[in-house]
Amino acid sequence: MRFIGKGYCLTTLILSSFFISPFTIAELPKIKSEEIIIPKPTEDNFSATKRVTNRLVQSHYRKIKLDDEFSKKIFYRYLKFLDFSRNTFLQTDIDNFESTFSQQIDDELNNGSLDIAFNIYELMMKRRYERYSYALSLLDREPDLNKDDMVEIDRENAAWPKDQEEANKLWEQRVKNDIINLKLKDKKWPEIKKKLLKRYNLAIRRLTQTQADDIVQIYLNSFAREIDPHTSYLSPRTAKSFNESMNLSLEGIGATLQSEDGETIIKSLVPGAPAAKSKKIKAGDKIIGVGQVKGEIEDIIGWRLEDVVDKIKGKKGTKVRLEIEPAKGGKSKLITLVRDKVRLEDQAAKLTINKVSGKNIAVIKIPSFYIGLTNDTRKLLKEIKDKKADGLIIDLRNDGGGSLPEAIELSGLFISDGPVVQVRDAYQRIRVHEDPDNEQVYSGPLVVMINRFSASASEIFSAAIQDYNRGIIIGQNTFGKGTVQQSRSLNFVYDLNQSPLGLIQYTIQKFYRVNGGSTQLKGVVPDIKFPDVIDIKENGEEKEDNALPWDKIPPAKYSQFSPINEAVPYLIEKHLARIAKDPEFVALSETLKIRDERRDRKFLSLNLNARQSESKLDDTKRLKDLNERFKREGKKLIKKLDDLPKDYEDPDFFLKEAERITIDFINLKNNRKL
């Protein structure tokens, strides 16, 4: 193929600038630089590029002008995708790219050309080879970890290294940090060296496995994600997985994944699936190794997400072993899961009724807005009536949404009639979705629990309950996703001999509350706020730099219930007085304070003693909190964290406090006839 601008050829890395002890031999990569060859784009890649461009320009909710200015934005997002931590390219590379390519991307997209994408990617491969080669050379001997070195935690907006010397310094810090992380897991130097040699060589080997579709997917997603965070291009391979309901998920164990800077992070767990049932995996945990029932555990740091999925998925009844690094840090753990198919009944709404202060409090846990949810909930509400429950909690924590019709119909169970949600499309047409019947199935005291991972349909339901003054909303601010996407294949009906081109997901509508406000960005603000156990600065729509804005439309016509919001100040007062003395909430407050202090720091120590001390403090606090809990519960105390049963699960004291709030609400209603 022909490249525009200056071409970059792959050259052998010269290691003479590295200091090598006369008593040691620098580790060299197993693959030579000339083996790293960039693939050539195919005719299908060109066709996909033109069709993606046409669809996004013509049909996306956000109307864009694909010009030189927008070209620059795509250019910088592409660089961000390729070098998120800004430790691969040099500043001279960026300057050259900017002057040559940054305002040409719009023209290339319209023409279906991919010269810029492949030119930049080619140099990225060369630079990545250089960086990992240098990292390997640093493993000739164990480094001194007693100095006061620091590593910058978040380099998303940092300057690119101005030269090779600065780049080497960044990678020296990275290698030291990798070594410390393994030492914190009680690994010794020989094992650490062996593990990192394998990891870095694997990262180099994966450069030789790059396919043209991989480059095109990253490049076109730089375009798509510049429009909004939920618009994506899926290559044929990824599209196939998506259509099989496996995209970005671990088929067979029920966990949703995302990839961040070469690390595989568990985003959420499917209720009832093997991962959730094990009680050994939580959202935010990292998967750092994968193995089958026999054989060694493969280090998967730096792997593509699709390859991680392929390694973990398998037939029902077979076993997979995962090496997990907990979200809160600490030692990694090896767990074994039996693959299974995720059954609908495991994800269905579930009812529990607890006796609290002499009253029956019903709790309906809704993990997702699946097809059939409303019918299931209707049956549970009849059971609640038969068992004479005094109040009801709808638990929507970690419910990422689902079916819009189910959100509308479920809301209708708690109101008699009226609008539930409004939708506006790209042509500014507004449609009001109404409660489909006039029946109010449940009219008793209602509390809705939400958190940061309650999104989409969960936000529609909780917003409707709040706008109608139908119930009290408690918990965390929701995610803030107020948009709807559709998926469309890039293949046309007349493409008789055309191979698959992939598919595109793009935003077509925005949701609005019946009061006219959008759930976009702002989400649903609870009437009674719980501690932010899920970090709102690290999760949520507002974290995205190009999310669609919050706005509003005229409110729909609806009649509110009695003003129960007048009860909120009283309920907040009782709630705050209670948790100020509750040992679980007190311990949580201390933990969140530590988390917030660490989140705001920009640098991490590369002094092993300092890191070990911090880890020991965390373990000591965790052990102290657990033993204080066990003492209150009359259980046997433990001497160390390793003595904690593998299936141990912290009590849901948020739900217990929600039950107490519901009791306060019931008593207040009875006394004041709200």
Side-chain angles (χ1 to χ4, degrees):
M1 65 172 285
R2 179 180 62 86
F3 288 113
I4 64 171
K6 181 180 179 181
Y8 298 102
C9 61
L10 299 178
T11 59
T12 303
L13 176 65
I14 299 175
L15 298 175
S16 59
S17 61
F18 301 157
F19 173 79
I20 301 177
S21 166
F23 304 107
T24 59
I25 299 176
E27 297 289 346
L28 299 176
K30 294 181 179 180
I31 292 175
K32 296 180 180 179
S33 62
E34 53 265 28
E35 297 179 61
I36 313 294
I37 302 173
I38 191 168
K40 295 182 178 181
T42 65
E43 289 300 322
D44 287 347
N45 294 146
F46 298 139
S47 298
T49 300
K50 292 196 71 170
R51 293 187 184 185
V52 166
T53 303
N54 291 336
R55 181 63 61 89
L56 292 182
V57 170
Q58 296 174 10
S59 304
H60 198 280
Y61 180 89
R62 172 183 266 172
K63 299 303 179 185
I64 63 163
K65 185 178 181 182
L66 189 54
D67 54 12
D68 289 355
E69 194 63 32
F70 201 81
S71 176
K72 285 184 180 179
K73 295 179 180 179
I74 299 171
F75 167 74
Y76 285 114
R77 193 165 293 274
Y78 187 45
L79 293 180
K80 181 177 180 179
F81 283 173
L82 296 182
D83 189 8
F84 181 84
S85 297
R86 297 195 175 194
N87 61 10
T88 300
F89 288 122
L90 302 176
Q91 184 60 55
T92 50
D93 300 330
I94 303 302
D95 292 341
N96 184 57
F97 290 154
E98 190 172 37
S99 61
T100 310
F101 300 141
S102 65
Q103 297 186 53
Q104 305 298 322
I105 292 178
D106 53 327
D107 300 321
E108 287 216 345
L109 287 171
N110 284 320
N111 294 328
S113 175
L114 291 163
D115 287 350
I116 292 175
F118 279 69
N119 263 280
I120 294 176
Y121 201 95
E122 182 183 28
L123 184 59
M124 185 277 294
M125 293 171 70
K126 175 189 174 183
R127 293 290 184 237
R128 190 166 290 178
Y129 182 88
E130 292 173 354
R131 304 295 169 254
Y132 278 110
S133 296
Y134 182 67
L136 285 167
S137 76
L138 297 174
L139 298 176
D140 60 340
R141 60 182 175 179
E142 187 171 3
D144 181 0
L145 300 176
N146 296 313
K147 298 179 179 179
D148 295 327
D149 297 340
M150 307 283 281
V151 61
E152 192 170 4
I153 296 172
D154 182 4
R155 287 187 48 82
E156 180 181 356
N157 298 309
W160 272 280
K162 64 181 180 181
D163 52 29
Q164 187 87 350
E165 183 179 353
E166 277 195 9
N168 287 347
K169 185 176 181 180
L170 291 175
W171 278 74
E172 287 172 14
Q173 295 168 353
R174 172 172 176 165
V175 171
K176 282 187 176 182
N177 192 53
D178 286 346
I179 293 170
I180 288 176
N181 284 334
L182 291 171
K183 280 186 173 290
L184 291 177
K185 299 169 188 173
D186 296 329
K187 306 293 185 184
K188 304 301 181 184
W189 171 245
E191 185 181 0
I192 291 172
K193 179 176 180 179
K194 181 179 179 181
K195 194 174 188 69
L196 293 183
L197 283 173
K198 183 176 180 181
R199 180 184 298 178
Y200 299 158
N201 271 303
L202 178 62
I204 291 175
R205 183 167 64 85
R206 296 195 71 77
L207 294 175
T208 67
Q209 300 170 350
T210 302
Q211 300 174 10
D213 282 359
D214 301 330
I215 302 172
V216 174
Q217 180 167 265
I218 296 172
Y219 183 62
L220 292 183
N221 270 321
S222 304
F223 175 27
R225 296 292 175 85
E226 187 56 45
I227 304 176
D228 92 303
H230 305 290
T231 296
S232 307
Y233 164 68
L234 282 67
S235 68
R237 177 186 176 186
T238 310
K240 182 176 182 293
S241 296
F242 174 81
N243 289 331
E244 294 172 351
S245 301
M246 295 186 296
N247 182 48
L248 303 187
S249 69
L250 308 184
E251 184 195 8
I253 69 168
T256 303
L257 298 181
Q258 62 183 14
S259 180
E260 291 183 3
D261 202 19
E263 296 183 320
T264 301
I265 299 173
I266 296 172
K267 188 175 182 182
S268 62
L269 302 178
V270 178
K277 282 184 175 180
S278 73
K279 298 183 180 179
K280 300 174 184 176
I281 302 176
K282 295 182 179 179
D285 288 351
K286 297 176 184 177
I287 300 177
I288 60 176
V290 180
Q292 304 310 313
V293 65
K294 295 182 179 180
E296 65 177 340
I297 301 295
E298 293 189 73
D299 187 327
I300 55 96
I301 294 177
W303 282 30
R304 296 185 307 183
L305 196 58
E306 295 92 337
D307 294 333
V308 177
V309 172
D310 288 343
K311 183 62 68 173
I312 296 176
K313 68 183 181 182
K315 293 182 179 180
K316 174 183 176 181
T318 60
K319 294 181 179 180
V320 61
R321 293 181 294 156
L322 304 178
E323 186 177 358
I324 301 294
E325 185 177 292
K328 297 180 180 179
K331 299 177 182 177
S332 63
K333 54 187 177 182
L334 189 63
I335 66 171
T336 300
L337 299 176
V338 179
R339 299 178 177 103
D340 196 2
K341 289 189 176 180
V342 179
R343 297 172 296 176
L344 182 60
E345 56 265 32
D346 290 330
Q347 302 181 67
K350 287 184 173 59
L351 169 67
T352 56
I353 298 180
N354 302 317
K355 195 73 134 179
V356 183
S357 300
K359 298 191 184 302
N360 293 323
I361 303 301
V363 180
I364 297 179
K365 172 65 178 175
I366 300 177
S368 68
F369 281 74
Y370 57 90
I371 302 301
L373 168 64
T374 304
N375 287 335
D376 288 348
T377 306
R378 190 186 299 272
K379 295 174 185 176
L380 297 179
L381 292 176
K382 183 181 184 302
E383 187 177 343
I384 287 172
K385 184 177 180 181
D386 293 341
K387 293 183 178 179
K388 297 182 170 30
D390 298 286
L392 170 63
I393 298 172
I394 298 290
D395 187 353
L396 297 179
R397 290 175 297 170
N398 302 319
D399 185 331
S403 166
L404 173 61
E406 290 293 345
I408 296 167
E409 292 179 24
L410 185 73
S411 303
L413 299 180
F414 301 95
I415 62 175
S416 54
D417 58 11
V420 173
V421 66
Q422 305 182 85
V423 176
R424 182 168 68 178
D425 66 17
Y427 302 99
Q428 307 303 305
R429 296 174 299 198
I430 298 173
R431 179 182 177 186
V432 180
H433 293 274
E434 303 265 349
D435 176 7
D437 59 47
N438 296 324
E439 181 185 12
Q440 185 180 4
V441 178
Y442 177 79
S443 58
L446 177 64
V447 170
V448 179
M449 290 188 76
I450 54 176
N451 68 4
R452 194 60 166 174
F453 291 146
S454 303
S456 194
S458 293
E459 295 176 289
I460 292 171
F461 174 83
S462 52
I465 297 299
Q466 189 175 59
D467 289 346
Y468 273 93
N469 274 332
R470 177 60 190 88
I472 302 292
I473 312 298
I474 64 175
Q476 275 187 276
N477 205 108
T478 59
F479 192 87
K481 182 182 181 296
T483 59
V484 59
Q485 289 73 39
Q486 72 175 7
S487 299
R488 289 288 182 268
S489 171
L490 291 177
N491 289 78
F492 301 142
V493 291
Y494 51 78
D495 288 336
L496 300 179
N497 298 315
Q498 176 69 59
S499 54
L501 299 176
L503 61 81
I504 186 169
Q505 297 172 315
Y506 58 99
T507 302
I508 58 170
Q509 295 173 327
K510 283 180 76 174
F511 292 123
Y512 294 86
R513 304 167 65 135
V514 293
N515 69 7
S518 172
T519 56
Q520 175 66 10
L521 283 183
K522 292 187 178 182
V524 177
V525 180
D527 300 312
I528 301 175
K529 192 176 186 303
F530 278 7
D532 288 330
V533 65
I534 300 172
D535 195 342
I536 62 172
K537 289 190 176 181
E538 295 298 324
N539 301 280
E541 188 82 357
E542 62 185 297
K543 186 176 181 288
E544 303 293 343
D545 61 0
N546 63 333
L548 294 180
W550 180 90
D551 59 357
K552 60 182 180 179
I553 60 176
K557 293 182 180 180
Y558 66 104
S559 299
Q560 292 182 320
F561 286 74
S562 57
I564 61 172
N565 54 350
E566 292 180 3
V568 170
Y570 169 79
L571 297 177
I572 291 176
E573 182 182 354
K574 296 272 285 184
H575 161 67
L576 292 177
R578 219 170 13 243
I579 68 172
K581 300 177 182 178
D582 188 312
E584 294 288 1
F585 279 93
V586 172
L588 175 65
S589 178
E590 295 170 353
T591 300
L592 295 183
K593 183 179 180 181
I594 295 171
R595 180 200 69 185
D596 292 344
E597 289 173 352
R598 292 179 183 176
R599 179 191 58 207
D600 295 334
R601 64 187 180 187
K602 296 181 179 179
F603 294 90
L604 188 64
S605 173
L606 291 176
N607 182 287
L608 179 60
N609 289 330
R611 293 280 287 277
Q612 286 175 330
S613 296
E614 184 174 281
S615 179
K616 186 176 180 180
L617 283 174
D618 291 343
D619 287 348
T620 301
K621 183 183 186 309
R622 172 67 172 157
L623 183 62
K624 172 178 170 289
D625 291 344
L626 283 169
N627 278 329
E628 287 180 352
R629 176 186 295 159
F630 293 158
K631 186 176 180 180
R632 292 191 300 271
E633 296 173 346
K635 296 180 179 178
K636 182 180 178 181
L637 306 188
I638 58 176
K639 294 183 179 180
K640 55 184 184 299
L641 290 178
D642 290 341
D643 296 336
L644 193 67
K646 293 182 178 180
D647 60 348
Y648 179 78
E649 189 173 10
D650 291 330
D652 190 352
F653 51 88
F654 281 99
L655 180 58
K656 291 185 177 182
E657 175 59 17
E659 291 173 338
R660 298 186 191 107
I661 291 174
T662 306
I663 292 294
D664 291 340
F665 185 34
I666 293 170
N667 291 335
L668 189 61
K669 286 194 70 172
N670 292 339
N671 294 337
R672 299 179 59 185
K673 295 183 172 27
L674 284 173

